[in-house]
Amino acid sequence: TFLISLAVFFPILVSTTAGVRGVDPVYLEVARSYGLSFSDRLWRVIIPAATPQILAGCRVAIAFGLAATVIANMVASGSGLGFFIVDAQTSFRLPDMWAGLIMIGLLGYLANTAFVLVEHRLLRWHRGWRGATEAAKAAWVHARIPSHRQRHRLPPIRCLRSATSASLTDRAPVRSWRSANCPSRSPA
């Protein structure tokens, strides 16, 4: 357990330190000018401003913790998923070994997904999460609604590109390619 806690501690420590140091000094000056005590500044300004970085470190720590747990099971344990994989490998039970590896991948994916949901819930107020959510919604809507090129039946982008990248001596092959692949556009 010491190895696992050591693997988890440093990503959280580094990200927390970076988050606290990255707090906008204007926020701290405003809090100081309002006469907030240090504990009020800590709980109302510093921790909320550093929360995105702290949670990013926790997300990395989950991956490191899972890897450290499996490695500890492989090296110094008589039970667990890591021991199961090593035992299956040494006794040439390859399907069992691959099943264990897939199980590790699924555990990591599920742990990450669960943490992303928690992180999304905790950071609803944060501008970065709102922007990511709006971008995801826009991408989904864009995938569902035909683009303006599909609606107006415009030629593909490769037909509209200019030949600025070609040198003066290479213009003839570019024109012949355009006239062959873009019949709607007259050769320039």
Side-chain angles (χ1 to χ4, degrees), residues 36-118:
L36 292 178
S37 65
F38 177 75
S39 63
D40 283 339
R41 277 184 288 176
L42 179 69
W43 289 105
R44 293 183 183 200
V45 177
I46 296 172
I47 290 179
T51 300
Q53 287 83 9
I54 293 169
L55 291 178
C58 291
R59 194 168 171 189
V60 171
I62 287 174
F64 282 3
L66 181 64
T69 302
V70 171
I71 290 170
N73 283 337
M74 286 180 171
V75 174
S77 178
S79 63
L81 196 52
F83 175 76
F84 175 77
I85 292 171
V86 170
D87 185 46
Q89 178 189 7
T90 55
S91 59
F92 296 105
R93 295 183 321 227
L94 295 181
D96 292 344
M97 181 190 71
W98 282 106
L101 290 172
I102 290 171
M103 182 59 72
I104 291 172
L106 286 174
L107 283 173
Y109 177 76
L110 290 175
N112 186 43
T113 303
F115 191 77
V116 165
L117 292 174
V118 169

Side-chain angles (χ1 to χ4, degrees), residues 111-159:
N112 186 43
T113 303
F115 191 77
V116 165
L117 292 174
V118 169
E119 186 177 19
H120 184 64
R121 176 86 175 159
L122 290 175
L123 294 179
R124 283 181 299 184
W125 56 272
H126 191 257
R127 152 180 73 185
W129 268 107
R130 284 189 311 216
T133 304
E134 290 170 8
K137 286 180 185 176
W140 184 81
V141 168
H142 181 69
R144 303 283 292 163
I145 298 173
S147 68
H148 71 284
R149 291 194 178 282
Q150 292 169 345
R151 284 193 299 251
H152 301 296
R153 301 199 187 280
L154 293 176
I157 297 252
R158 68 175 183 272
C159 297

